[in-house]
Amino acid sequence: MLTPVLQEELAFSPAVALLGPRQVGKTTLALAVARQQPHVYLDLESERDRHKLSQAELYLQSHLDKLVILDEVHRAPGLFPLLRGLIDQARRDGHAEGRYLLLGSASLDVLKQSGETLAGRIAYLELSALNVLEMGASQQDALWLRGGFPSSVQASSDERSLRWRENFIRTYLERDIPQFGPRIAAETLRRFWTMLAHHQGGLLNVAQLARNLGVDVKTASGYIDLLCDLLLVRRLQPWHANIGKRLVKSPKVYVRDSGLLHALLGIETTEQLLSHMVVGASWEGCCIENLLSCAPRGVTAYFYRTSGGAEIDLLLAWPGGALWAVEFKRSLSPKLERGFHSACEDLQPTRKWVVYPGQEAYPLAADVQAISLSGLCEVLRGHTNSGG
C-alpha cells in the first residue's frame, strides 16, 4: 500500500530513502515501482555491484537517464557527497526528480549521512511489516502470532515460521548489527532484547535494565538507541500538556514486530501465546504497529498516563490538532475502565475507540466505539489529515 506514496515522492523528490528492517520487502517494492521506467539496481552487499562503483562518479554519470536504486546504501557512505553533486547537476539541466532510490535496513546511518549532505534533496519513507489490511481480517491471528515479515507470516507452519524468526534474530545479532555501531557481543544484546520482550508495553527504566544486564546506564541507553534505530524496537512517547496533572514522563517500550517478540520469548503456537503473561501487551503492541502503518503521514503517536491512574493506551495526534483516544482490550466483551474516562475528561479527544479481537463494530458508550483492528485500520487509511 506504500506503492502510490513512493511513486508520488519519486515524481517530486530527486532522491527517496526507503527505510525498513531487513526482509520486510523494500527491494520487492522498489523493483515493482521501477519496472515502469528505465532503471538500474545495485545491491551494495554484493561484491560485484560494489566493484561497479569503484569509479562511482563515472558509473553514475553514465546512468543519469535512469532511476538508480542503491540497496543497503549504508555500505557505501562515501556516495552521499557524490549524489549531492549529481542531483544538483541534474537540477541545473532541468531534471530535478526521480534520480535515486536509496534502500536502508536502518534509519541511523542513512539518516545521518543523507541528513548531512542531501538536505532539501531527499524524502524519507518507512516500509512497515505487513499489516492486517494487506493480509486480510481472516489472517489476523496468524499475523499476531507470526508477525508481519512476509517469510514468517506466510510460512507453511508455525514451526517453520518460528525457525525463520529465530534465524532472523541470530543473523541480525551476529552479522547485521556490528555493521551499524561499536562491536557488541551478540549474546549480550540478545539478553537485552529478550529483557525488553519480557517488559513489552512497560515504562522504560533504563537504570533497571542496566542493573539487570550488568552494564552502565550509558551502555544500556546505547543498546536501546541502536534497536530503535534499526526499527526493531519502538519507544512510545508520553503525551505532554499543561493540564495541571502529574503526567508520566517515561516512554513505553515495545518490540515492534509481534512475531519477533514471540520468538524472543519462545512462543510457537497461539495456544502458548494465549496462556502467556505477555498476551495482553503483545496484542497491544501488534495493534499499535498495524494502526500506525495505516495512519496518514503527519499523525503522531503517544500514550497518556497520570500519577492518578488516568490512562489512554494510544493517543493519535493529527496535524490539525485533533486527538483520537484508542484503548486495546483482548476480550470479546470489552469493558472500559475509570482511568480511560478520566483521561478523556482531561484531553477531550474528538474520537474514542476500543480495539478488540471481534469483527463487529458497536457503541460501548455514547461517544465510544468498539471496533476490530482491521476496522480501525480502514478508518485511518481512508481519513483526511484533519482528524475531525
Side-chain angles (χ1 to χ4, degrees), residues 36 76 100 111-112 126 130 136 163 191 225 257 269 341:
Q36 304 171 17
Y100 302 99
L111 290 173
K112 184 185 300 182
E126 181 182 330
L130 292 172
R163 193 176 307 165
R191 285 176 53 210
D225 291 341
D257 183 76
T269 66
H341 292 296

Side-chain angles (χ1 to χ4, degrees), residues 61 73 100 115 147 209 232 250 277-278 312-313 318 343 368 385:
Q61 281 182 337
V73 70
Y100 302 99
L209 290 170
L232 299 170
S250 298
M277 62 185 301
V278 81
I312 295 172
D313 291 335
W318 293 75
V368 183
N385 277 331

Side-chain angles (χ1 to χ4, degrees), residues 32-106:
V33 170
R35 288 193 193 101
Q36 304 171 17
Q37 59 190 297
H39 67 276
V40 59
Y41 170 82
L42 296 177
D43 179 0
L44 300 187
E45 290 201 322
S46 161
E47 185 176 348
R48 183 183 66 179
D49 282 359
R50 286 200 306 273
H51 183 70
K52 293 178 183 179
L53 293 175
S54 58
Q55 297 294 325
E57 185 169 4
L58 290 175
Y59 181 86
L60 293 175
Q61 281 182 337
S62 69
H63 293 288
L64 290 177
D65 58 339
K66 301 181 181 71
L67 172 65
V68 178
I69 303 171
L70 299 173
D71 204 345
E72 300 301 336
V73 70
H74 63 273
R75 296 295 297 268
L79 284 177
F80 288 97
L82 174 58
L83 294 178
R84 178 179 60 179
L86 293 172
I87 288 171
D88 290 346
Q89 176 186 328
R91 278 177 165 173
R92 289 190 293 270
D93 295 338
H95 304 290
E97 66 286 323
R99 315 305 303 172
Y100 302 99
L101 179 51
L102 314 179
L103 311 183
S105 295

